[in-house]
Amino acid sequence: QKTAYEIPKRDWSSDVCSSDLGYVLVQLAGAILGVMAAHAMFGLPALSMSTQARTGLPMWWSECLASFGLIGLAIATGRSRPGLVPFVVASYITAGYWFTSSTSFANPALTLACALTNTFTGIRMMDVPAFLLAQIFGAMNATLVFHWLCPPPPSVPEAVFGGRWKGRARLTSAD
């Protein structure tokens, strides 16, 4: 019997961990290259440390809620309409710019990238750790809550269909 705080078991094999590490590295590289590309478009130095202060309980709470909402919507949409996830995520981040006091960074890679731009979108490097902790806290709680609210559909045991459907990619209306 599942509890509200039980999340799916994870296979911690080396393949899974290496793909996770690769994903993190690609996110960070993309964020830094994005800053450099934007700066090149506006004739700014490739990288410059931000001096924009973003600190205090209201900012951290805002960032926690932004991350909670982002992960929650992604999980819920992924369970019900997976093809819409990119559009829902993009819409949420766009709206979050206006409905949060932190302007909804909601992503550690983006937060680190914003520390590398001394524009109005930046964040001082000394403010980054608190933002990252708020994002992690919000994302972890969203994962727990939305795995409980939107559980994955139960898998149909093979015994129900016998072996006659084995090897089929999916069922169609003709089946």
Side-chain angles (χ1 to χ4, degrees), residues 15-30:
D15 291 341
V16 172
C17 290
S18 65
S19 67
D20 289 349
L21 178 61
Y23 180 76
V24 168
L25 292 176
V26 168
Q27 282 270 307
L28 290 172

Side-chain angles (χ1 to χ4, degrees), residues 54 58-59 61-71 73 87-107 110 121 131 135:
R54 294 185 190 268
M59 285 278 188
W61 177 239
S62 175
E63 200 58 23
C64 177
L65 290 179
S67 298
F68 181 92
L70 177 65
I71 299 301
L73 274 176
F87 304 105
V88 170
V89 166
S91 298
Y92 181 82
I93 290 297
T94 301
Y97 184 83
W98 286 282
F99 74 73
T100 62
S101 62
S102 66
T103 67
S104 186
F105 291 8
N107 178 326
L110 174 63
T121 62
F131 260 57
Q135 290 167 356

Side-chain angles (χ1 to χ4, degrees), residues 35-72:
V35 169
M36 295 169 76
H39 283 192
M41 286 189 278
F42 293 99
L44 299 171
L47 299 172
S48 58
M49 298 305 287
S50 178
T51 57
Q52 176 71 36
R54 294 185 190 268
T55 189
L57 192 56
M59 285 278 188
W60 304 330
W61 177 239
S62 175
E63 200 58 23
C64 177
L65 290 179
S67 298
F68 181 92
L70 177 65
I71 299 301

Side-chain angles (χ1 to χ4, degrees), residues 114-131:
C114 287
L116 301 175
T117 180
N118 195 21
T119 63
F120 67 93
T121 62
I123 178 173
R124 292 182 307 189
M125 190 58 83
M126 66 189 297
D127 298 333
V128 167
F131 260 57

